[in-house]
Amino acid sequence: MRWSAEMDFMKIRSYIINQIASHGGVPVKFPSSRKLAQKFGTSQPTALRTIRDLIADGYLVPCKNGGTISCPQASSGTHEYSLFGTVTVLGKQAFINNYFMRYESVVGLDLLNRDETYSIVPLKLESPSLLEQTVKDNNLKGLILYDAAPIILKQAEQLHAKGFPVVSVIRRSEFLSSAYTQDDIFFREVIQHLHKEGRQKILLTVHTNPLRSALLHKAVADACRENGIRESDLTLVNESEPPETFASLLKQTSFDAVIFYPFNRLLYNMLADSTDLKNQCRIVIQSESNHRELNFSGLVITNHLNQAVSLLNDNLLLQCEDPKAPIVQIRIPYTLAEYENGQRISTTKERTGK
């Protein structure tokens, strides 16, 4: 199914369920699929599929004169039905990769395990300026951001300033409660670790995102200064560079370590074809990139989300009760582990970055 059709399906479904919940036990009449499609700017087949799905789930029954009406819903918890929206980066993702899926699943499961009357819907934004209107259209109780772009953070900060509950995951905002990754800290630790192993020629792939790229450049400069490493021994290359750039780099320099942030499968395959990745070149990846078929040997950075996410969700729900609740800033702890042939053989202590 196309992403846009799935988003339209979820938008209509969320609207109908939220309307039912907000009216308590009073039946709610809904228009035909044609009128719903017009209201939400989607196709009639998508609206019709949504209605049929809700009928099958026991939320709606058809009316003789057209449209549908809600069925009585028994209360299943002490809280009223609450719908939380999520925005990933710019809210325009056509797909969600392993990295975001892991974060969203941990955050969502922690929230949903608290009370079955909580629900989550991903938001699709045509423009960052439409964030507040999209929140209103979906009748949301709160908002969860994942690695939000600066322009989205700014919109969300303005929304929060008006008393609306918002939290940020991965990316830190001084004006929002945040559970954030410590990219700069663990990059410095990784470079120090590689330097102690005698690795001298290190290649780093960095994000196209200017903010994150700048953060990593600073981490590299700090690590070099603190450990007496020449910055000329470290090569930073943008992840989006064409294959020819990577091939040229590998011909010019024999790297004895490569840090993938994010993982670049093309470059990894090039290295695997030309280098002994077990003994000659130390590879560093994030746990989300440690796919089973890699049979990976090297260092793996793992962010430990559960406790940080639980504290962040505590704050999100507190904001729902008290819009003036103080914000919290939570570092997501991490470990650096060594793997051989896909098996972990050693682990550093959990790092909090404090």
Side-chain angles (χ1 to χ4, degrees), residues 45 73 96 134 151 198 214 220 252 262 301 334:
Q73 299 293 312
I96 302 297
T134 303
I151 191 170
V220 168
Q252 294 172 12
I301 300 166
Y334 68 91

Side-chain angles (χ1 to χ4, degrees), residues 84-240:
F84 295 91
T86 65
V87 176
T88 302
V89 190
L90 275 167
K92 296 183 178 182
Q93 279 56 44
F95 64 93
I96 302 297
N97 62 22
N98 284 358
Y99 183 76
F100 293 116
M101 187 174 291
R102 178 168 177 250
Y103 279 82
E104 292 194 21
S105 64
V106 174
V107 174
L109 285 173
D110 177 83
L111 187 62
L112 297 178
N113 281 339
R114 295 165 183 253
D115 196 310
E116 62 186 63
T117 59
Y118 297 144
S119 189
I120 294 174
V121 58
L123 302 182
K124 184 174 185 295
L125 302 177
E126 297 299 329
S127 166
S129 63
L130 296 176
L131 178 63
E132 182 172 356
Q133 188 59 49
T134 303
V135 164
K136 290 179 180 178
D137 289 345
N138 285 272
N139 198 19
L140 298 180
K141 186 81 170 182
L143 188 64
I144 305 168
L145 309 177
Y146 295 97
D147 201 18
I151 191 170
I152 292 292
L153 276 179
K154 184 177 180 181
Q155 295 290 329
E157 289 166 355
Q158 294 173 358
L159 194 58
H160 177 69
K162 296 178 181 179
F164 188 77
V166 184
V167 296
S168 176
V169 187
I170 304 174
R171 184 72 62 84
R172 182 182 183 182
S173 164
E174 64 176 303
F175 302 109
L176 300 174
S177 289
S178 309
Y180 60 94
T181 56
Q182 306 173 74
D183 297 1
D184 54 340
I185 295 175
F186 67 59
F187 250 81
R188 288 166 64 183
E189 181 178 353
V190 167
I191 292 172
Q192 292 168 359
H193 186 100
L194 295 173
H195 181 62
K196 288 178 181 178
E197 288 185 348
R199 311 280 174 180
Q200 295 183 346
K201 295 294 183 181
I202 303 174
L203 174 66
L204 300 89
T205 66
V206 297
H207 276 281
T208 53
N209 181 295
L211 193 63
R212 302 188 79 170
S213 180
L215 191 67
L216 300 182
H217 277 75
K218 183 181 184 304
V220 168
D222 289 344
C224 289
R225 184 183 65 255
E226 294 168 4
N227 296 276
I229 304 171
R230 295 182 304 176
E231 284 195 51
S232 59
D233 287 337
L234 279 75
T235 303
L236 276 67
V237 60
N238 193 296
E239 59 158 326
S240 62

Side-chain angles (χ1 to χ4, degrees), residues 29-32 62-69:
K29 180 80 162 53
F30 294 97
S32 66
C63 295
K64 291 182 179 180
N65 57 346
T68 55
I69 192 168

